[in-house]
Amino acid sequence: MARQQMTQTLSQLDARYTWAIASLDRDPHEIFRKHRPMTPLLKREDGVYIAIRAADVEALITDPRTRQLETQLARARGVVDGPLLQFMANTLLLSNGVQHRQRRAPLAKAFAFDLMTELRPRVRSIAEQLIDQHYRRGAMDFISDFANWLPARVICAILGVPESDIPDFTRRVYSLARALSSSFSQEDVPELQRVSGELISYVHDLLEDRRLRPREDFLTSYATALDGSETLSNVEALVQIVTLLLAGSDTTRGALAIQTSLLLEHREQWNAVCKDSTLIPGAVLECLRYEPSVASFARVTVDDIALDGVMLPRGHIVSLSTLSALRDPSVYADPDKFDIRRTDHPRRHLVFGGGVHRCLGETLAKIELQEALAALSERLPNLELDGGPAIVHGSGGIRSVRDLRVRWAA
Ligand code: HEM
């Protein structure tokens, strides 16, 4: 009987709560706000379920009845071979169990809290240099002149990648990021195959170069550790570095643009940050909550899961909507209000996920966002939007952020 009730609820869900991806992408906050009190799950027209309540998102991340996608999404889009499948099959992000631990362990030390904290002055100095480069012009295209460069230069510094390679590898990783959104379509596949192949062979050349000409950098120590290791294959090793280039640059550039745009749209709060730099950490957390650059991440269900009387059936992809959870009134007072002084952020910000896949670059991302804001507010207190706010698009995965021009009196 209980099972029957679940099934009935599911069929109602199918009828009333199924959404086209295009509609979700256009106005995710409004759709999630409307449905959150009525249902724990929405369904997308492509069959992917979306968990929209904070407590469920949090619980499903570590629920043993869910697992990472591995190649399930790729295969569902008809990808059965080629470099894109190599990327999806080997990246730590999409893997499970022992494989995941073996892939994550060699990277974890390089992104440890203390090492990242030591990097803070360097991040600040990169932010200052980017401002200096454009200062006299009194205006910049914030995304292409600032947000693209800061995280890319920092990840180059950590890994030991030459900065002259930034334009080429960033163009490719911004494109590959679409493969990590559960809404990528078959039409995207040829381009994703091409850029995956180019990035894997680029990293192959970097590691070969370190074997021939060792230096004092992460890539050299990674290449040396690999040569004496039997736990990672060659292609696995290459794909972890591709993942770092991708995760290290695309997510944070979006967050930088969103943060700057939101603060300039809320002028009183920008002015407050300019007067009092102790508001910076709270401002960063609030921007990540209010308009996150990563809107969701996905899992597969390995068993039926009942959520508040609604069945999430086994064998399906479920998108855990951090975008919705971060505006859930059961966690945040007045969640649609942008307030850098709010005091109800949980200790662990959900934008960085949770469990064993929790973002490896969390400390680094926060430092980049804080130091960028410190440099901009100190050097350019009269910064203002030069046109409309940034256009943020997408309801799942890494979101696209475009069109943010700013100006100041030089
Ligand atoms: C605002 C910026 C960022 C956001 C919002 C973000 C968000 C996330 C989230 C939600 C996950 C977990 C995905 C899942 O469980 O499926 C994740 C994983 C990851 N992130 Fe970040 N990230 C950011 C910046 C960075 C940076 C700067 C790096 C630098 C290396 C990075 C590296 C990674 C890696 C390697 C993983 C995979 C971890 C694993 O699967 O064990 N991220 N990130």
Side-chain angles (χ1 to χ4, degrees), residues 68 92-93 100 104 111 155 244 247-248 251-252 255 288 293-294 297 299 351-353 356-357 359-361 364-365:
Q68 266 290 6
L92 78 158
L93 181 62
H100 171 253
R104 183 165 168 131
F111 289 87
I155 200 77
L244 288 179
T251 49
T252 319
L288 287 168
S293 62
V294 178
F297 40 90
R299 294 290 186 270
V351 81
F352 295 107
V356 293
H357 289 276
C359 180
L360 190 77
L364 175 62

Side-chain angles (χ1 to χ4, degrees), residues 244-394:
L244 288 179
L245 291 176
L246 192 166
S249 41
D250 201 27
T251 49
T252 319
R253 80 170 176 137
L256 277 169
I258 292 171
Q259 169 176 290
T260 307
S261 184
L262 279 174
L263 286 164
L264 294 179
E265 282 167 70
H266 297 84
R267 190 79 214 175
E268 174 273 321
Q269 301 195 50
W270 169 264
N271 290 341
V273 168
C274 294
K275 284 201 195 89
D276 178 2
S277 63
T278 64
L279 292 171
I280 289 175
V284 167
L285 296 180
E286 179 64 348
C287 294
L288 287 168
R289 181 195 74 84
Y290 191 80
E291 208 59 90
S293 62
V294 178
S296 70
F297 40 90
R299 294 290 186 270
V300 179
T301 52
V302 293
D303 206 345
D304 290 348
I305 302 174
L307 298 176
D308 195 12
V310 179
M311 178 67 84
L312 174 55
R314 65 180 293 189
H316 280 73
I317 296 178
V318 56
S319 166
L320 307 182
S321 177
T322 37
L323 181 136
S324 175
L326 290 164
R327 292 216 191 176
D328 188 327
S330 72
V331 181
Y332 302 96
D334 205 354
D336 295 316
K337 182 176 174 195
F338 177 74
D339 179 6
I340 62 170
R341 295 178 181 87
R342 72 166 58 242
T343 52
D344 51 7
H345 293 285
R347 198 173 58 80
R348 290 163 78 78
H349 202 305
L350 197 54
V351 81
F352 295 107
V356 293
H357 289 276
R358 188 169 177 89
C359 180
L360 190 77
E362 174 179 355
T363 307
L364 175 62
K366 284 181 183 160
I367 290 175
E368 290 178 346
L369 292 164
Q370 290 168 2
E371 291 307 317
L373 181 51
L376 288 164
S377 57
E378 203 170 284
R379 297 283 310 282
L380 307 173
N382 58 9
L383 190 69
E384 58 185 17
L385 294 173
D386 187 7
I391 296 175
V392 187
H393 186 79

